[in-house]
Amino acid sequence: MINPHGHDLDSRARSLLRTLIAQYLVDGEPVGSRTLSRSSGLDVSPATIRNIMADLEDAGLVASPHTSAGRVPTPRGLRLFVDSLIELQPLPRAEMARLQRELPPGPTTTRDLLGNVSTLLSAMTHFAGVVTVPRQADFPLRHIDFVALPDARVLVILVFSDNQVQNRIVQLARPLDGRELEQAANYLNSHFAGLRVDDIRAHLLAEVRKTGSELNQLLASTMELATASFAPPANGSSGPDVLVSGQTNLMGYSELADMQRLRELFEAFQQKNELLQLMEVCARAPGVRLFIGEESGFTALDGCSVVTASYGAQGRVLGAVGVIGPTRMAYERVIPVVQATAGLLSDALNRAATTL
């Protein structure tokens, strides 16, 4: 009996399984013993091949569709193939050059950059490209400015290191004139530029506790303004998000042609909750993550494979990029594409951070 994890596969069984999966990934059809005999290069009889295939089927690595005498790999067989039966190579120079050429070279907001990455991944793999968008608070503050409004209100303009601009209107206890707002902005920019919003909140709280009633009127107004400016949005709009591109590509694969399956998959893309949960799990793990079929834990993705890699800047993980496609995908090509894209995205974000 063959161990279902593949530990007990001898060289002939491994070679036949590799040949079967490679052929299946090309044409999507069940692979018969005669094809294996021709393609594997092994000097064994058809009867021996049938016996080995029967053992692989007993181990749950291949299955026999009832309409065919051939066999197809199961998700467990594909997992073994990816983990130990293929040798991943670096992305070819031409494809790396395409990635570098099509990513925005100049200043852009992180969200625009991530949208471009999602579209590019979809175009290069012909699957759905997915990218998580981090919280705005994950990026350092570059600059803050204030504009006086009627009725003791102030327009707060926050510029982050990723070039994203966020506007807020805050209500103060008393109106501040232009000079006071300028002094408040100068104080906050000199003390807090380069820090993330969560860190700024912690510094403000510590400052208020330390000085207490000793705050002079101007500093008290500055602290009131700063506290309101960096308060979490009430609607939670600054939370993480996920961008999806090329969903319609998946309609062209026969494995996903079932209308009910497609409907569940597209609903998952639209609602995003489960997809975002999965991508956040991927972001917390270094390197490439791969889920085949049911491994993702989400029913809508049972017929799919998800390949992701984390990205970040300045030693901090910000999210994950990846593709979603049928389980019959060219893993040896898709994995390097996703890995290289995550690396180039991290490089772009690091370059942007150095301009702060």
Side-chain angles (χ1 to χ4, degrees), residues 107-122:
T108 183
T109 67
T110 294
R111 193 176 185 93
D112 289 343
L113 175 62
L114 296 179
N116 186 280
V117 166
S118 174
T119 301
L120 184 55
L121 277 172
S122 175

Side-chain angles (χ1 to χ4, degrees), residues 81-209:
F81 176 75
V82 172
D83 288 348
S84 62
L85 298 182
I86 61 173
E87 294 183 6
L88 296 176
Q89 302 295 328
L91 195 65
R93 185 174 301 176
E95 293 198 347
M96 179 64 83
R98 177 183 175 185
L99 280 174
Q100 293 171 324
R101 183 173 62 252
E102 297 193 23
L103 284 177
T108 183
T109 67
T110 294
R111 193 176 185 93
D112 289 343
L113 175 62
L114 296 179
N116 186 280
V117 166
S118 174
T119 301
L120 184 55
L121 277 172
S122 175
M124 292 193 69
T125 62
H126 305 293
F127 301 138
V130 291
V131 183
T132 54
V133 181
R135 300 180 312 145
Q136 191 59 60
D138 285 332
F139 294 95
L141 177 73
R142 186 191 299 275
H143 184 78
I144 187 170
D145 206 354
F146 302 113
V147 177
L149 299 175
D151 304 322
R153 293 178 301 148
V154 174
L155 171 64
V156 182
I157 305 170
L158 300 170
V159 183
F160 293 89
S161 64
D162 66 333
N163 296 316
Q164 194 76 33
V165 178
Q166 192 175 99
N167 296 328
R168 303 181 180 183
I169 295 177
V170 300
Q171 181 72 55
L172 301 180
R174 71 173 184 89
L176 300 179
D177 60 29
R179 182 183 61 83
E180 290 174 308
L181 290 176
E182 181 180 359
Q183 290 177 322
N186 291 338
Y187 176 86
L188 294 175
N189 285 320
S190 63
H191 285 77
F192 299 126
L195 298 181
R196 294 174 177 82
V197 169
D198 290 345
D199 298 326
I200 294 174
R201 291 195 194 106
H203 279 279
L204 289 171
L205 181 60
E207 187 72 18
V208 170
R209 286 175 174 171

Side-chain angles (χ1 to χ4, degrees), residues 257-302:
D258 178 81
M259 288 306 297
Q260 180 60 31
R261 172 173 290 177
L262 273 177
R263 187 178 297 111
E264 292 177 357
L265 186 57
F266 277 65
E267 285 178 358
F269 288 148
Q270 184 175 13
Q271 295 175 0
K272 297 185 178 181
N273 294 336
E274 291 184 345
L275 185 56
L276 183 57
Q277 290 178 40
L278 179 63
M279 294 295 286
E280 288 184 326
V281 168
C282 295
R284 291 195 290 268
V288 174
R289 293 292 303 273
L290 169 62
F291 297 92
I292 301 174
E294 298 176 354
E295 292 177 352
S296 71
F298 297 109
T299 304
L301 298 175
D302 280 356

Side-chain angles (χ1 to χ4, degrees), residues 63 150 178 193 200 206 232 237 280 339 348 356:
I200 294 174
S237 61
E280 288 184 326
Q339 193 170 31
L356 181 64

Side-chain angles (χ1 to χ4, degrees), residues 44-76:
V44 295
S45 68
T48 299
I49 290 178
R50 286 194 294 271
N51 288 338
I52 294 174
M53 286 296 103
D55 288 341
L56 292 174
E57 188 168 357
D58 289 341
L61 299 175
V62 299
S64 300
H66 66 276
T67 57
S68 170
R71 290 177 172 86
V72 298
T74 63
R76 181 181 294 175

Side-chain angles (χ1 to χ4, degrees), residues 233-245:
N235 58 8
S237 61
S238 63
D241 191 12
V242 60
L243 304 178
V244 185
S245 299

